[in-house]
Amino acid sequence: MVVNGKLDNIKAGVIQELEALYELEIPQGQIITREAAEKMLELTDILGREVAVYINRKGTVVQVSVGDDATVELPDIKQRSTIRLSGVRCVHTHPSADTRLSAPDLSSLRSMRFDCMVAIGRKKDGKIHGSLAFLNGEMTEEGGYVVSGTKELPLKELNNIDLVQLIVLVNNALGKNRLKDTEEQIEKAILAGVAFSSRRDDWQVEDSLAELRGLVETAGAEIVGEVIQNKDKPDNAYFLGKGKVEEIAMLAQNVEADLLVIDDEISPSQQRNLELSTGLRVVDRTALILDIFAQRARSSAGKLQVELAQLKYNLPRLGGQGLVMSRLGGGIGTRGPGETKLEMDRRRIHGRIHDLEEQLKKLKNQRKLHRNQRKQSRLASAALVGYTNAGKSTILNALSDSDVLAEDKLFATLDPTTRLVDLDEKQQILLTDTVGFIQKLPHTLVSAFQATLEETTEADLLVHVVDASDPNYELQIKAVIKVLEEIGAKEKPAIFVFNKADRLMEQGGNGFDAQRMLQGRDGVVISARKPEDLQTLREKLSSFFNQGKVVLKLCIPYTEGSQITRLHELGTVLSTDYNEQGTVLEVELPVTDAEPYMQYEIKE
């Protein structure tokens, strides 16, 4: 272990004590231990010079220096990102009791982009105090970094600062500034998937990761690396294994990644530990889906529901951020242990959640009113459901000759859209396009979108659209049925529409067997691009809605006009005429309602 800096006239025994500083282990997320601080100040008293240690995010001392830290070269961080923090913090002593950071200290902080710069010293009463500075993520007009810091604090209070969240906040801010300055640059993401032997959900980790790839691309990031791990169960601290975390940290340096995306939902503590160990911003599958939904929300209802889901997701992740923001603020209203601001943040979020839930209750009532009005029109209704990107919007556009947004992207549709569809010359239905489902769909999202998903539960028929060209279509069907069960719609009448059959043909499936694909399920195999296939679908829908119905030609006497009103309520009046005996109607009625009107039937 080499000690750097000014070593003139230092005795061999003191050099050995300086080398022993390499053996110190600092707990992750803690700035410096009391033991390490005491040892460094003891050596400073002997030498009359500054002693500096450089600590990586694992808590390992990577370099020890005596004298001017601004001249020190750090081999461990030569390959650091050109944008993000270096992953190393500098803690050094001041021979005097004054621990205010000097201009060279701050210059070194800017040039090396340390996670933080800390100066410690011993007061006359023997107690250790220190000051901390960090890049706050803002940039000057000249392109330099703006520095923020704390006042002088006792060592215990200094160590109360949440170093993990400090690093995450600064890295996020630096990344946002980079994106503002160069709009064509996008976030670079590493994807991580784990195959747990304890899970039996049928999805292969490679297939799930391929789906995650589509989600990340939809969110607008560039994928620069992927890792897969086989593991018995999730690691309590990191979710991934420690060895895999180290591999990701090295990969991130090589590809200059900004983001780590985990193909599962992870706990707040696992997220914080991964961010500390890798130096990357970490998002899990749930946060990624919420981000896509936030981008896709267009209507006020959609935005309300997305905000509610995000708040419920972020609430348990508030703790560390609140502590950092409180303890680094300084001044009136921000001092104290940090819990004050944290509790204020929590109360605000709980209050906002309550407000959103009240607004969504009103939205549900409005939609219920609209549904009741549609029911009074006696028009049958169907809801398109299915896995995301199965082609629901394309089918709605083709059947209704409308222009609902339809893209080859995950979650292209977020807000429900209802259109009038002609099945034949005499029959119309209301068809609603709904948000797509996905495996591992966040429960917070299902809960928040109850107002939208009620369109599914109130429909007379579910049209379950399946991407026939996807090799995992059976697993996708299971995922959709699981969500339908969660919202209470599993038992609704349903027909299956296996879409994108043209792609199946392009993939070499010329001889595919439609009946084998349906496996006894009531449905059709089509391509929404082919008019003849759309006609097949119309006939299938018409067949369903005609089941249990009868068409009668009736003559209602003029003295019984109230019966005509009743017939409009019970069924669909297809035509109206008049003769000497009364009003002649051709009406479609449910069989169960037809018998009382058989006495008026015109026998031909």
Side-chain angles (χ1 to χ4, degrees):
M1 298 293 186
V2 177
V3 177
N4 295 270
K6 300 177 180 180
L7 305 180
D8 302 340
N9 303 318
I10 298 180
K11 296 179 180 179
V14 177
I15 294 290
Q16 288 179 352
E17 290 188 57
L18 287 166
E19 291 173 345
L21 294 176
Y22 281 105
E23 299 174 8
L24 297 172
E25 288 293 335
I26 314 299
Q28 288 190 359
Q30 184 174 326
I31 291 172
I32 193 75
T33 63
R34 179 166 295 278
E35 175 193 4
E38 291 280 6
K39 188 62 181 176
M40 290 170 64
L41 288 168
E42 180 184 323
L43 289 167
T44 294
D45 290 340
I46 295 171
L47 298 170
R49 306 178 198 176
E50 291 186 6
V51 174
V53 293
Y54 301 86
I55 307 164
N56 66 20
R57 290 178 186 162
K58 295 179 183 178
T60 303
V61 175
V62 296
Q63 191 157 302
V64 176
S65 175
V66 175
D68 184 4
D69 60 276
T71 63
V72 174
E73 184 71 24
L74 295 181
D76 195 55
I77 57 171
K78 281 182 178 178
Q79 293 184 337
R80 64 188 184 276
S81 164
T82 57
I83 297 299
R84 306 178 77 79
L85 296 176
S86 66
V88 173
R89 62 188 178 274
C90 174
V91 182
H92 66 286
T93 61
H94 278 184
S96 68
D98 185 358
T99 65
R100 288 177 296 181
L101 291 160
S102 64
D105 289 335
L106 300 181
S107 175
S108 180
L109 170 64
R110 291 187 179 97
S111 63
M112 299 300 291
R113 290 197 315 283
F114 290 125
D115 288 352
C116 62
M117 172 67 74
V118 179
I120 59 174
R122 194 188 304 277
K123 295 296 183 180
K124 291 181 179 179
D125 59 6
K127 294 181 179 179
I128 300 174
H129 284 62
S131 300
L132 175 144
F134 58 96
L135 307 179
N136 65 13
E138 297 179 9
M139 305 287 287
T140 64
E141 292 182 1
E142 296 77 23
Y145 295 104
V146 178
V147 173
S148 294
T150 67
K151 61 181 182 180
E152 193 175 64
L153 297 170
L155 183 61
K156 183 178 179 180
E157 287 190 33
L158 199 65
N159 275 328
N160 280 340
I161 292 171
D162 192 327
L163 186 59
V164 178
Q165 281 297 325
L166 173 62
I167 292 167
V168 172
L169 290 171
V170 174
N171 270 334
N172 288 348
L174 290 172
K176 287 177 183 176
N177 279 324
R178 192 260 321 253
L179 293 174
K180 287 178 185 175
D181 294 338
T182 25
E183 293 183 2
E184 69 276 7
Q185 293 192 39
I186 59 177
E187 286 184 291
K188 295 181 178 180
I190 295 174
L191 314 187
V194 185
F196 295 112
S197 57
S198 58
R199 288 188 187 173
R200 306 194 189 287
D201 56 5
D202 297 324
W203 281 86
Q204 296 295 316
V205 65
E206 292 82 6
D207 295 328
S208 187
L209 205 62
E211 186 175 85
L212 185 70
R213 195 180 305 128
L215 288 168
V216 171
E217 290 171 348
T218 298
E222 176 189 354
I223 298 165
V224 294
E226 295 181 12
V227 295
I228 292 177
Q229 183 175 31
N230 294 307
K231 206 167 165 52
D232 292 334
K233 60 181 181 179
D235 182 85
N236 290 333
Y238 296 95
F239 187 77
L240 305 167
K242 289 184 179 179
K244 189 61 67 174
V245 174
E246 292 177 359
E247 178 186 328
I248 291 171
M250 291 299 297
L251 175 62
Q253 293 286 349
N254 294 332
V255 299
E256 293 196 352
D258 309 292
L259 185 66
L260 173 62
V261 185
I262 306 295
D263 190 28
D264 274 282
E265 184 168 334
I266 60 177
S267 71
S269 62
Q270 288 168 337
Q271 179 182 342
R272 285 156 51 82
N273 291 336
L274 284 171
E275 286 175 334
L276 177 63
S277 298
T278 63
L280 301 174
R281 187 162 65 88
V282 176
V283 299
D284 59 15
R285 188 183 181 94
T286 299
L288 178 63
I289 292 174
L290 288 172
D291 181 81
I292 295 171
F293 271 52
Q295 292 182 45
R296 294 285 178 174
R298 293 291 179 268
S299 70
S300 58
K303 291 175 182 177
L304 284 176
Q305 292 172 113
V306 170
E307 184 183 355
L308 178 60
Q310 286 180 321
L311 288 175
K312 287 184 174 181
Y313 172 80
N314 286 322
L315 186 58
R317 290 164 170 78
L318 182 64
Q321 195 174 62
L323 291 172
V324 168
M325 294 172 67
S326 174
R327 289 178 178 167
L328 296 184
I332 296 172
T334 61
R335 289 186 285 262
E339 288 302 314
T340 302
K341 177 168 176 50
L342 184 56
E343 290 306 316
M344 286 173 61
D345 289 342
R346 284 184 174 143
R347 279 199 299 273
R348 279 197 294 267
I349 290 179
H350 280 298
R352 181 59 179 161
I353 287 174
H354 179 266
D355 292 343
L356 290 171
E357 288 176 339
E358 289 300 312
Q359 291 180 59
L360 288 173
K361 280 181 185 177
K362 293 179 182 178
L363 174 66
K364 288 170 71 173
N365 291 333
Q366 290 173 2
R367 288 200 166 145
K368 185 177 181 180
L369 181 62
H370 293 158
R371 284 194 297 269
N372 289 338
Q373 290 173 345
R374 293 201 295 264
K375 285 180 180 178
Q376 290 174 6
S377 71
R378 300 307 299 171
L379 282 174
S381 64
L384 292 161
V385 300
Y387 212 75
T388 181
N389 205 31
K392 298 181 293 297
S393 299
T394 301
I395 288 175
L396 179 67
N397 286 338
L399 290 177
S400 63
D401 193 25
S402 58
D403 56 354
V404 174
L405 177 66
E407 294 181 282
D408 188 17
K409 285 186 177 180
L410 301 175
F411 299 115
T413 300
L414 186 57
D415 298 305
T417 305
T418 301
R419 294 288 184 269
L420 191 64
V421 173
D422 294 316
L423 298 183
D424 53 40
E425 293 180 356
K426 296 182 178 180
Q427 190 173 27
Q428 292 179 318
I429 65 168
L430 291 169
L431 187 60
T432 300
D433 186 17
T434 63
V435 62
F437 302 149
I438 197 169
Q439 61 135 343
K440 305 176 186 175
L441 187 67
H443 179 75
T444 51
L445 208 54
V446 176
S447 174
F449 271 72
Q450 283 293 339
T452 294
L453 295 173
E454 278 188 353
E455 298 290 340
T456 301
T457 61
E458 295 292 331
D460 299 315
L461 172 69
L462 301 183
V463 182
H464 189 155
V465 182
V466 182
D467 182 355
S469 67
D470 194 304
N472 290 311
Y473 70 81
E474 287 290 352
L475 294 176
Q476 292 179 353
I477 289 173
K478 287 183 181 179
V480 171
I481 291 174
K482 182 179 179 182
V483 178
L484 290 175
E485 184 176 14
E486 190 172 347
I487 64 175
K490 182 183 178 183
E491 303 304 323
K492 300 286 292 186
I495 63 170
F496 287 82
V497 178
F498 285 80
N499 189 30
K500 304 186 184 181
D502 53 326
R503 287 193 185 180
L504 200 63
M505 305 283 276
E506 291 168 4
Q507 293 169 6
N510 294 323
F512 79 90
D513 185 346
Q515 292 305 314
R516 184 181 62 80
M517 181 170 284
L518 288 170
Q519 292 186 1
R521 290 176 284 231
D522 186 19
V524 292
V525 180
I526 68 162
S527 166
R529 297 177 180 176
K530 295 183 178 180
E532 61 271 24
D533 284 1
L534 290 171
Q535 182 57 33
T536 300
L537 176 55
R538 280 192 171 91
E539 292 170 359
K540 187 69 179 176
L541 292 169
S542 180
S543 173
F544 172 84
F545 286 110
N546 283 329
Q547 288 177 5
K549 293 187 177 182
V550 61
V551 177
L552 300 174
K553 192 169 185 180
L554 308 174
C555 181
I556 306 298
Y558 290 119
T559 57
E560 299 183 38
S562 61
Q563 294 292 352
I564 297 174
T565 303
R566 180 65 176 156
L567 285 167
H568 276 280
E569 294 174 352
L570 292 174
T572 303
V573 176
L574 304 176
S575 66
T576 304
D577 202 355
Y578 305 93
N579 63 22
E580 294 179 357
Q581 285 75 37
T583 305
V584 178
L585 303 172
E586 187 176 11
V587 60
E588 182 184 66
L589 292 172
V591 173
T592 53
D593 295 324
E595 187 171 348
Y597 297 93
M598 300 299 286
Q599 59 180 311
Y600 304 115
E601 187 177 13
I602 299 174
K603 304 294 183 182
E604 296 183 357

